[in-house]
Short mmCIF file of all heavy atoms in Angstrom, two decimals:
data_model
loop_
_atom_site.label_atom_id
_atom_site.label_comp_id
_atom_site.label_asym_id
_atom_site.label_seq_id
_atom_site.Cartn_x
_atom_site.Cartn_y
_atom_site.Cartn_z
N ALA A 211 12.45 -2.78 10.02
CA ALA A 211 12.24 -2.41 8.62
C ALA A 211 12.23 -0.90 8.45
O ALA A 211 12.84 -0.36 7.52
CB ALA A 211 10.93 -3.01 8.11
N LEU A 212 11.57 -0.19 9.36
CA LEU A 212 11.52 1.26 9.25
C LEU A 212 12.91 1.87 9.39
O LEU A 212 13.28 2.78 8.65
CB LEU A 212 10.58 1.84 10.31
CG LEU A 212 10.39 3.35 10.27
CD1 LEU A 212 9.76 3.79 8.95
CD2 LEU A 212 9.55 3.84 11.45
N ARG A 213 13.69 1.36 10.34
CA ARG A 213 15.05 1.86 10.49
C ARG A 213 15.85 1.67 9.20
O ARG A 213 16.56 2.57 8.75
CB ARG A 213 15.76 1.14 11.63
CG ARG A 213 17.18 1.65 11.90
CD ARG A 213 17.95 0.69 12.78
NE ARG A 213 18.19 -0.58 12.07
CZ ARG A 213 18.46 -1.73 12.69
NH1 ARG A 213 18.49 -1.79 14.01
NH2 ARG A 213 18.66 -2.82 11.99
N ALA A 214 15.73 0.48 8.60
CA ALA A 214 16.46 0.22 7.36
C ALA A 214 16.00 1.13 6.23
O ALA A 214 16.82 1.61 5.44
CB ALA A 214 16.28 -1.25 6.96
N MET A 215 14.72 1.41 6.17
CA MET A 215 14.18 2.24 5.11
C MET A 215 14.64 3.69 5.22
O MET A 215 14.85 4.37 4.21
CB MET A 215 12.64 2.20 5.15
CG MET A 215 12.04 0.87 4.78
SD MET A 215 10.33 0.73 5.37
CE MET A 215 9.56 2.12 4.51
N VAL A 216 14.79 4.17 6.46
CA VAL A 216 15.06 5.59 6.69
C VAL A 216 16.54 5.86 6.95
O VAL A 216 17.10 6.82 6.41
CB VAL A 216 14.20 6.10 7.87
CG1 VAL A 216 14.56 7.55 8.20
CG2 VAL A 216 12.72 5.98 7.55
N GLU A 217 17.18 5.04 7.78
CA GLU A 217 18.53 5.35 8.24
C GLU A 217 19.63 4.62 7.48
O GLU A 217 20.80 5.00 7.60
CB GLU A 217 18.66 5.05 9.73
CG GLU A 217 17.79 5.96 10.60
CD GLU A 217 18.03 5.78 12.09
OE1 GLU A 217 18.48 4.67 12.50
OE2 GLU A 217 17.79 6.72 12.84
N GLU A 218 19.27 3.58 6.75
CA GLU A 218 20.28 2.86 5.99
C GLU A 218 20.12 3.19 4.51
O GLU A 218 19.22 3.93 4.12
CB GLU A 218 20.15 1.36 6.26
CG GLU A 218 20.37 1.00 7.73
CD GLU A 218 20.19 -0.48 8.02
OE1 GLU A 218 20.13 -1.28 7.06
OE2 GLU A 218 20.10 -0.83 9.21
N GLY A 219 20.99 2.62 3.67
CA GLY A 219 20.95 2.91 2.24
C GLY A 219 19.92 2.06 1.51
O GLY A 219 19.30 1.16 2.07
N VAL A 220 19.76 2.36 0.23
CA VAL A 220 18.88 1.55 -0.62
C VAL A 220 19.46 0.16 -0.74
O VAL A 220 20.65 -0.01 -1.05
CB VAL A 220 18.73 2.19 -2.01
CG1 VAL A 220 17.86 1.33 -2.91
CG2 VAL A 220 18.15 3.60 -1.89
N ASN A 221 18.64 -0.85 -0.48
CA ASN A 221 19.14 -2.22 -0.41
C ASN A 221 18.05 -3.17 -0.87
O ASN A 221 16.93 -3.15 -0.33
CB ASN A 221 19.55 -2.55 1.04
CG ASN A 221 20.28 -3.86 1.17
OD1 ASN A 221 20.04 -4.81 0.43
ND2 ASN A 221 21.18 -3.94 2.14
N HIS A 222 18.34 -4.02 -1.85
CA HIS A 222 17.32 -4.93 -2.37
C HIS A 222 16.93 -5.99 -1.35
O HIS A 222 15.93 -6.69 -1.55
CB HIS A 222 17.80 -5.59 -3.66
CG HIS A 222 18.92 -6.55 -3.50
ND1 HIS A 222 20.14 -6.20 -2.97
CD2 HIS A 222 19.01 -7.87 -3.78
CE1 HIS A 222 20.93 -7.25 -2.94
NE2 HIS A 222 20.27 -8.28 -3.43
N MET A 223 17.66 -6.10 -0.23
CA MET A 223 17.24 -7.01 0.83
C MET A 223 16.16 -6.38 1.72
O MET A 223 15.50 -7.08 2.50
CB MET A 223 18.44 -7.44 1.68
CG MET A 223 19.48 -8.24 0.91
SD MET A 223 18.79 -9.69 0.05
CE MET A 223 18.31 -10.71 1.45
N TRP A 224 15.99 -5.08 1.62
CA TRP A 224 14.88 -4.36 2.25
C TRP A 224 14.19 -3.60 1.12
O TRP A 224 14.49 -2.43 0.88
CB TRP A 224 15.39 -3.39 3.32
CG TRP A 224 16.14 -4.03 4.44
CD1 TRP A 224 17.49 -4.26 4.51
CD2 TRP A 224 15.59 -4.52 5.68
NE1 TRP A 224 17.81 -4.87 5.70
CE2 TRP A 224 16.67 -5.03 6.45
CE3 TRP A 224 14.31 -4.58 6.22
CZ2 TRP A 224 16.49 -5.58 7.71
CZ3 TRP A 224 14.13 -5.13 7.48
CH2 TRP A 224 15.20 -5.63 8.21
N THR A 225 13.31 -4.27 0.41
CA THR A 225 12.84 -3.68 -0.85
C THR A 225 12.09 -2.36 -0.66
O THR A 225 12.09 -1.52 -1.56
CB THR A 225 11.97 -4.67 -1.64
OG1 THR A 225 10.90 -5.15 -0.82
CG2 THR A 225 12.81 -5.85 -2.12
#
Side-chain angles (χ1 to χ4, degrees):
L212 182 62
R213 182 195 67 202
M215 292 161 59
V216 175
E217 294 187 335
E218 299 178 13
V220 177
N221 189 328
H222 68 301
M223 296 306 293
W224 300 90
T225 54

